Amino acid sequence: MTVRTGTSGRWGRGLSLAVWGLTRAVLLLCVFKVFTVPGPDVTVDVSVIYRGWYEVLHTGSYPLDDVTWQYPPAAALAVLSPDLLPFLEYASAFFVLVFLCDALVFGLLLYAGSRPGMRDAGAWLWVVGVPLLGPTVYARYDLMVTAVAVAALLAGVRHPRVLGALAAFGTLLKVWPVLVLVGTAKGRSTRRSWSSAVVTAVVLASAAAVAVPGAFAFLTFQRDRGLEIESLGALVFHVARQFGWEGRVELRYGSMEFAGPQVALVSTLALALSVLGFGWLLVWRFRARTFAVHTPADAAFTAVLLFTVTSRVISPQYMVWPLGVAAVCLVFRGSRMAVPACLVVVATAVTVLEFPLGFAHVVASDAEGVALMAVRNGLLVAATLGAGRRLWRATVPGAREVRGAERISRAGRAGTHASAP
């Protein structure tokens, strides 16, 4: 029996490796333009925008005159990373490095899943979910950031200080990895991870500020961003255009945004929703008492979904964030995030239909474009609500008792109705 299980496990891991290799070969062929994917050329960001930043960074300064530079100081490391492969052209080196980060995440999930009490479901989610995003996932640096977040959550099981240090580094790459600290167990684990994060962040941020001018100019550019057409709030204007709304779509701050009457109001409401999401997380953190080994991953997944859904920008590459954290959740047998994780996978599949394949329809706000955005964002909202509900019930005292009482009450009412003449 034991031998059979072990053989089955090795066969399953071998199959996942084969599927990973096949799907990633297709992604590489797409970004190297052996295959052409319909729609906008997703590699332009690397070959033109990233390459331009790369040239500026080599002069010893951040891109202070480029409003599309909206990233924390450590993002410069991702932009400069092709220097690690000097024998390749810039874009080619970047694609190869993202591929290697993909391999790192897969390896970490596969290793974690092979340990006692763990499972391979997380590795499989990563194998299946990433290629659903299409070549965009290899033509942005978000997968690199996700690799840091995944490594932080997996390391945090035994090494809270490593979790904190990696979370701080990830935060200085693209801000959102700070959310992996939300669910650390109260007491020693929180003190160790959070103090490590603070020290690491202060050291790295200070070094960046001293070494290179303009390390924090991104804060101004990020503050001035508008409502990107793929965001949840943008659905208001996609629908409004069907009824004669007089606004328009413009290329601003590196993305397609709505401009016109009431856009500023909806953008402000989106920020207010983010604040409410943060408030809910604070209440949960205060009320939570049960912290299992999978709670940090479950909480991080919920937090990432909250801030993705309420963001003024939901660019296609953002989908790799919840995919990576969801994969960590599914490594743990006790995690209850399977259904929200599956919703994220489906939302990722819809995302590639709207970008790059159907982006013209989204820009035009025609029936197909509106339907794609409504389905994708609806799935994300459902995943967010489901994850939050599961996290609360698993960790807050009384939630499970209330649920049990509701079941007993329903059963009692059913019995009463059944016995009625």
Side-chain angles (χ1 to χ4, degrees):
M1 189 68 152
T2 304
V3 173
R4 195 176 306 153
T5 303
T7 302
S8 175
R10 287 194 296 271
W11 184 87
R13 286 190 286 274
L15 178 61
S16 66
L17 179 60
V19 175
W20 179 87
L22 178 62
T23 54
R24 275 43 177 192
V26 173
L27 288 177
L28 286 173
L29 290 172
C30 287
V31 293
F32 281 108
K33 298 183 179 179
V34 176
F35 299 150
T36 301
V37 176
D41 182 0
V42 301
T43 65
V44 169
D45 278 43
V46 176
S47 59
V48 177
I49 298 176
Y50 285 18
R51 180 59 190 257
W53 293 340
Y54 171 85
E55 299 293 345
V56 174
L57 288 166
H58 266 287
T59 67
S61 174
Y62 284 93
L64 302 180
D65 298 324
D66 188 348
V67 295
T68 62
W69 176 261
Q70 299 159 13
Y71 309 106
L77 298 178
V79 175
L80 293 169
S81 63
D83 280 342
L84 296 172
L85 303 175
F87 48 87
L88 291 176
E89 181 269 334
Y90 181 86
S92 299
F94 185 87
F95 300 145
V96 170
L97 289 170
V98 176
F99 164 79
L100 293 176
C101 288
D102 183 358
L104 173 64
V105 174
F106 176 60
L108 289 173
L109 292 168
L110 205 60
Y111 173 75
S114 68
R115 298 176 62 184
M118 303 296 206
R119 57 184 178 179
D120 293 334
W124 272 109
L125 185 141
W126 184 256
V127 167
V128 173
V130 168
L132 291 179
L133 197 54
T136 305
V137 74
Y138 272 16
R140 306 291 188 273
Y141 86 96
D142 294 79
L143 196 149
M144 295 177 173
V145 183
T146 303
V148 175
V150 168
L153 285 168
L154 292 175
V157 174
R158 294 186 177 183
H159 306 288
R161 289 193 177 93
V162 177
L163 164 63
L166 288 174
F169 177 58
T171 301
L172 291 175
L173 278 172
K174 204 164 186 179
V175 180
W176 71 264
V178 70
L179 299 173
V180 304
L181 296 171
V182 167
T184 54
K186 294 179 180 179
R188 181 180 297 179
S189 291
T190 291
R191 288 194 299 271
R192 287 181 173 179
S193 59
W194 291 18
S195 61
S196 174
V198 170
V199 171
T200 304
V202 169
V203 170
L204 293 179
S206 300
V210 170
V212 186
F216 295 96
F218 78 98
L219 294 171
T220 300
F221 301 152
Q222 190 64 245
R223 180 196 63 199
D224 294 337
R225 292 197 74 166
L227 196 67
E228 195 257 349
I229 63 173
E230 295 162 286
S231 65
L232 179 63
L235 275 172
V236 173
F237 300 106
H238 282 299
V239 174
R241 292 178 88 180
Q242 316 308 311
F243 299 95
W245 179 67
E246 297 179 353
R248 60 199 179 278
V249 174
E250 296 181 349
L251 178 61
R252 300 174 68 239
Y253 295 93
S255 64
M256 303 302 290
E257 298 182 354
F258 277 119
Q262 307 306 318
V263 172
L265 173 61
V266 174
S267 183
T268 301
L269 290 175
L271 288 174
L273 281 177
S274 293
V275 172
L276 286 175
F278 180 71
W280 183 88
L281 283 174
L282 286 179
V283 173
W284 168 78
R285 178 77 192 179
F286 179 76
R287 294 283 304 278
R289 292 293 182 273
T290 305
F291 286 80
V293 67
H294 55 82
T295 301
D298 290 354
F301 179 51
T302 304
V304 169
L305 281 172
L306 270 172
F307 286 99
T308 300
V309 166
T310 60
S311 172
R312 293 173 297 172
V313 180
I314 309 181
S315 295
Q317 64 269 20
Y318 288 14
M319 294 302 300
V320 77
W321 310 348
L323 273 177
V325 184
V328 178
C329 291
L330 295 193
V331 165
F332 301 100
R333 293 188 181 276
S335 175
R336 299 182 178 182
M337 295 297 169
V339 172
C342 289
L343 289 174
V344 168
V345 171
V346 177
T348 303
V350 177
T351 298
V352 78
L353 296 178
E354 63 93 357
F355 186 89
L357 300 181
F359 196 59
H361 297 286
V362 177
V363 172
S365 297
D366 62 20
E368 182 178 338
V370 174
L372 285 170
M373 295 319 310
V375 172
R376 196 282 298 271
N377 290 341
L379 287 166
L380 287 178
V381 170
T384 303
L385 295 175
R389 182 170 175 264
R390 285 166 170 77
L391 178 66
W392 188 276
R393 286 188 167 185
T395 57
V396 175
R400 283 171 291 184
E401 287 78 359
V402 170
R403 181 177 55 182
E406 289 174 349
R407 284 202 300 265
I408 293 171
S409 177
R410 286 196 297 270
R413 288 195 298 270
T416 300
H417 295 321
S419 62

